[in-house]
Amino acid sequence: QDDVIPVELGGRTRFVPQQAVRFAEAQGDYVRLHTVDGSYLVRMSLAALERRWADAGFIRVHRSTLVSSRHVSELRFEGGRVTVTVGSETLQVSRRHSRQVREALVRRHRKIMS
């Protein structure tokens, strides 16, 4: 079942499903959820979101970025830098996280293919 995050928007509450979220970025005490339709700011920590969505294939690629492995179309190693492509966005993978990101993505795609 899909987890849903309620987002307050000018007196209305929009319910953003986990599957719609491509990646999330820490912004102070908030997290910006990036979806196909746009982005939404929610008051929670990236660490709390990471714990909540870890089993759904969300992986930390940088201290301030969490990505949905289902939305990653490419992992690139170039000139000592590692990036992932999510939709039309290219996101930096920190050196600290690059090995575990690669392993998680390879593991996910092997699971899909078998």
Side-chain angles (χ1 to χ4, degrees):
Q1 95 207 42
D2 202 22
D3 189 18
V4 173
I5 299 275
V7 179
E8 301 298 323
L9 292 168
R12 293 188 316 207
T13 302
R14 174 172 239 169
F15 299 97
V16 179
Q18 175 195 76
Q19 286 187 329
V21 177
R22 290 178 167 185
F23 67 99
E25 284 181 293
Q27 293 186 341
D29 292 337
Y30 293 83
V31 172
R32 182 165 298 279
L33 304 175
H34 293 268
T35 70
V36 178
D37 304 329
S39 69
Y40 306 95
L41 205 56
V42 293
R43 189 172 176 88
M44 70 183 330
S45 72
L46 194 64
L49 189 65
E50 180 180 23
R51 285 189 301 273
R52 184 170 171 172
W53 285 357
D55 292 342
F58 279 77
I59 50 178
R60 183 75 73 119
V61 297
H62 192 275
R63 99 184 128 82
S64 61
T65 314
L66 191 62
V67 301
S68 169
S69 59
R70 80 177 60 181
H71 290 288
V72 174
S73 59
E74 184 177 74
L75 175 66
R76 174 174 272 165
F77 295 84
E78 193 169 47
R81 292 180 51 173
V82 181
T83 59
V84 289
T85 303
V86 180
S88 61
E89 300 275 340
T90 299
L91 304 171
Q92 185 75 40
V93 177
S94 69
R95 271 194 291 268
R96 179 175 166 222
H97 291 95
S98 60
R99 184 174 174 187
Q100 67 196 52
V101 167
R102 182 183 185 286
E103 289 170 358
L105 291 172
V106 167
R107 200 170 40 247
R108 173 173 171 72
H109 291 285
R110 277 195 186 129
K111 221 184 262 185
I112 290 169
M113 295 181 76
S114 59

